[in-house]
Amino acid sequence: MAETIPHAPSIVDKAIDGKAFAAGLVDRITGASARLRADHGVQPGLAVVIVGEDPASQIYVRNKGETTLRAGMRSDTHRLDAGTSQADLLALIAQLNADAGIHGILVQLPLPGHIDSTAVLDAIDPDKDVDGFHVVNAGRLAVGLPGMVPCTPLGSVMLLKDALGDLSGLNAVIVGRSNIVGKPMAQLLLAQNCTVTIAHSRSRDLPALCREADILVAAVGRPEMIRGDWIKPGAVVIDVGINRVPSADPVKAAEGKTRVVGDVAFKEAAAVASRITPVPGGVGPMTIACLLANTYVAACRANGVEPQPLDA
Ligand code: GUN
């Protein structure tokens, strides 16, 4: 019979349960929002705008709306057809900016090609920009001012602090330099006193860079690109990737069935890492939870109320 090491952590023990953590966070936000309503007569309100019929976006938007309602918040979803002009979209944003019952505005990306996404995102009132994508919020984050922080990096750092406690002095390597994940993640980890490297498609010897990481964040959008032998033993791995690939079962794949994988080869990586976020069920659920957290905080700030701490 094969011998087993009594206390060797299994892959299950190593997996960071983002779904459970997000559920706890949503519960705390729900409680805090109920209190804001009871004490100050303010119900946090989130408006989500979607243009066109992209099926993945439709699912994300439906989930956001349902979770917002479950948290006791107001949820308005504006579904515009794919041919909507940029001027009409900007007019809707101006209307939402002026609506005192709406504290958060999210324009689902990607937008159709005829619309300038940057112009649209920058038309959102920065204090209602619950995605944290506005250039003013990017600037606030860079200089350490309070603002709206992008949800995926915010949720990822919450999971890291829960797994590791103090992050001071740790080497963090982020693979991916997007404005939505890579760059804000770097700012947040710098604020936690990590030594931060942002790697990208032009970085030399990416595997060697990754092997230096105590914290490795994968945000490249390439299925299972990061292999087990790129990971330093004991590192904590945050996999932000959500990639749809053909089913592992060739019969199902032939029928067009798909599955979702991250940017990290999970099994290989889990054998080396101390903790790792699975896909699905890791970072993904934290993104919606942090969207609600940002909406709650925006509603407090708009009404001069100190937000309740949302930590576990
Ligand atoms: N599309 C995919 N993810 C996101 C997100 O976090 N925010 C917005 N606005 N669009 C997205």
Side-chain angles (χ1 to χ4, degrees):
M1 201 175 90
E3 254 186 53
T4 52
I5 304 166
H7 298 297
S10 70
I11 285 182
V12 175
D13 297 326
K14 288 180 172 188
I16 295 174
D17 190 346
K19 202 171 162 188
F21 193 96
L25 178 56
V26 170
D27 280 349
R28 295 191 293 281
I29 298 164
T30 305
S33 297
R35 192 139 150 220
L36 180 66
R37 198 170 177 181
D39 293 353
H40 301 278
V42 176
Q43 181 189 28
L46 173 65
V48 174
V49 181
I50 178 166
V51 185
E53 302 295 330
D54 177 63
S57 294
Q58 296 283 346
I59 294 170
Y60 289 139
V61 164
R62 199 173 58 234
N63 285 343
K64 284 169 187 167
E66 287 171 2
T67 316
T68 308
L69 289 175
R70 274 206 302 277
M73 297 184 180
R74 171 177 163 191
S75 164
D76 292 0
T77 303
H78 298 264
R79 297 175 194 281
L80 309 182
D81 68 52
T84 301
S85 69
Q86 182 165 319
D88 284 351
L89 179 54
L90 291 173
L92 173 59
I93 290 169
Q95 184 193 316
L96 296 171
N97 282 341
D99 184 339
I102 290 296
H103 308 99
I105 303 169
L106 179 145
V107 177
Q108 185 69 23
L109 301 176
L111 287 167
H114 65 280
I115 294 178
D116 174 355
S117 301
T118 306
V120 169
L121 296 179
D122 286 348
I124 297 171
D125 176 344
D127 295 335
K128 295 190 178 189
D129 168 38
V130 282
D131 257 331
F133 294 166
H134 194 290
V135 67
V136 164
N137 282 317
R140 286 170 172 163
L141 182 60
V143 298
L145 286 172
M148 286 283 134
V149 176
C151 302
T152 300
L154 181 60
S156 299
V157 171
M158 286 182 191
L159 293 179
L160 279 170
K161 285 170 79 172
D162 187 57
L164 284 167
D166 185 8
L167 307 184
S168 289
L170 297 177
N171 276 348
V173 175
I174 300 157
V175 188
R177 55 178 156 180
S178 70
N179 291 336
I180 292 175
V181 181
K183 288 178 194 165
M185 188 76 198
Q187 299 291 359
L188 289 175
L189 290 173
L190 203 51
Q192 294 295 321
N193 306 310
C194 291
T195 303
V196 179
T197 303
I198 304 184
H200 47 77
S201 54
R202 303 287 178 88
S203 294
R204 259 183 281 154
D205 202 350
L206 192 55
L209 272 178
C210 291
R211 273 182 222 114
E212 296 293 315
D214 304 307
I215 294 169
L216 181 62
V217 180
V220 271
R222 306 226 353 227
E224 300 179 323
M225 184 183 93
I226 292 173
R227 313 306 310 187
D229 64 356
W230 296 25
I231 292 166
K232 178 173 166 175
V236 176
V237 178
I238 299 288
D239 188 352
V240 176
I242 301 177
N243 307 289
R244 200 160 276 284
V245 298
S247 168
D249 175 338
V251 177
K252 289 187 178 159
E255 292 165 355
K257 295 263 165 40
T258 59
R259 68 196 164 109
V260 171
V261 298
D263 292 346
V264 180
F266 180 81
K267 272 194 189 155
E268 286 176 21
V272 187
S274 64
R275 304 295 306 278
I276 177 167
T277 57
V279 178
V283 172
M286 290 301 290
T287 300
I288 293 192
C290 287
L291 177 65
L292 299 187
N294 280 350
T295 303
Y296 164 71
V297 169
C300 290
R301 288 180 184 158
N303 290 280
V305 176
E306 183 63 29
Q308 279 183 235
L310 298 171
D311 319 341

